[in-house]
Amino acid sequence: MAEIGKYNTLEVLKERDFGVYLDAGDLGEILLPKRYCADDLEVGDRIRVFIYLDTDDHLIATTEIPVAIVGEFSMLKVSEVNNTGAFLDWGLPKEVLLPYSEQKNRPVEVDKRYLVRLYLDKHTNRIVASTKIDRFLDKTPPNYKTGEEVQLVVANRTDLGQKVIVNHEHWGMIFRSDVLKTVYPGQKFKGYIKEVRADGKINVSMQKPGYGKVIDTTDKILEMMAEQDGFITVHDKSSPEIIFQHFGLSKKAFKKAVGALLKQDKITVEPSGLRLKD
């Protein structure tokens, strides 16, 4: 069944001068305006679209890509504030509403960005936003494996490290020693499960843990050496800052990879850097 606020692949039912109507199952026939229709789009074709309510509160389809969909967290900019609430720019013609009742602590301000979660108001079918992040997270027990790749959204910084949202479902923590680069609220990137503790709290790493990480790192080093005629002016005695600047890695991870390459007899270590063996 087609879902509002998400991507759907729907069949074209009929063509009109102003667009095509798509079969959205229980939601009925939904218009995809002509400006989003390819010239060769025909009845019977299937097309991937995003469904939401237009300014007249009618269901409409678009091939435009919003910054976030229902169920996701994202950092959005406030473009207007009125008696209803705040309106956020999410990349579509109709902006998304952040009601006053969904604003945590204090009202938001125009031109500032806020981390919000998008959800579907079941009474109106409108997509709305909330800054009350906690009430959407940790609703189910975490079911992750060590080393599993996950999607992260950066939240706030604490004394322990960087709080992140894991797969748009759970709170996680990247401890200060594992924060390898500067991050900012709302930033999205891949991470890896380091540990799911007995109390359900999740520790996350920015690098793949274990042997898989070493393999990825050695490939990266070899690739860079090949691009620079077989020699790079970075080695295991270089500063952590220089290593991270070149490879985006901690010094510990880099040294493990260099050790693996030495054992494989693929490189030699020289006073000024690493050289690729012929």
Side-chain angles (χ1 to χ4, degrees), residues 37 39 57 67 88 121 128 154 166 192 201 221 232 234 238-239 258 267-268 274:
C37 300
D39 292 339
D57 284 341
V67 175
L88 311 178
D121 185 321
V128 290
V154 177
V166 181
Y192 302 89
K201 295 186 182 300
I221 294 171
I232 55 175
V234 185
S238 299
S239 69
V258 169
I267 64 171
T268 58
L274 304 178

Side-chain angles (χ1 to χ4, degrees), residues 53-180:
L53 295 183
D54 64 13
T55 53
D56 296 318
D57 284 341
H58 296 146
L59 285 174
I60 195 164
T62 179
T63 54
E64 291 186 307
I65 300 174
V67 175
I69 66 174
V70 164
E72 291 185 347
F73 295 82
S74 190
M75 186 71 68
L76 300 182
K77 183 179 179 180
V78 178
S79 58
E80 179 187 353
V81 174
N82 61 25
N83 293 334
T84 307
F87 289 87
L88 311 178
D89 180 3
W90 65 322
L92 296 183
K94 182 184 178 182
E95 296 180 324
V96 66
L97 173 66
L98 172 60
Y100 282 109
S101 61
E102 291 295 338
Q103 297 179 31
K104 185 178 179 180
N105 299 330
R106 59 183 180 181
V108 299
E109 300 176 35
V110 173
D111 289 336
K112 290 191 176 181
R113 296 178 182 273
Y114 297 87
L115 184 62
V116 299
R117 200 259 199 185
L118 300 186
Y119 70 95
L120 186 67
D121 185 321
K122 299 297 184 181
H123 300 292
T124 64
N125 280 337
R126 292 187 181 125
I127 300 167
V128 290
S130 175
T131 59
K132 297 181 178 180
I133 303 300
D134 284 313
R135 73 183 181 92
F136 298 101
L137 294 171
D138 297 328
K139 297 301 181 184
T140 58
N143 184 25
Y144 302 104
K145 297 179 180 178
T146 299
E148 181 177 343
E149 183 178 291
V150 290
Q151 296 295 322
L152 304 178
V153 180
V154 177
N156 57 297
R157 190 183 302 276
T158 73
D159 292 339
L160 295 176
Q162 184 66 58
K163 287 186 73 174
V164 292
I165 298 168
V166 181
N167 283 354
H168 299 282
E169 294 182 354
H170 299 94
W171 278 120
M173 174 67 72
I174 304 176
F175 284 100
R176 290 172 61 186
S177 58
D178 291 324
V179 178
L180 303 177

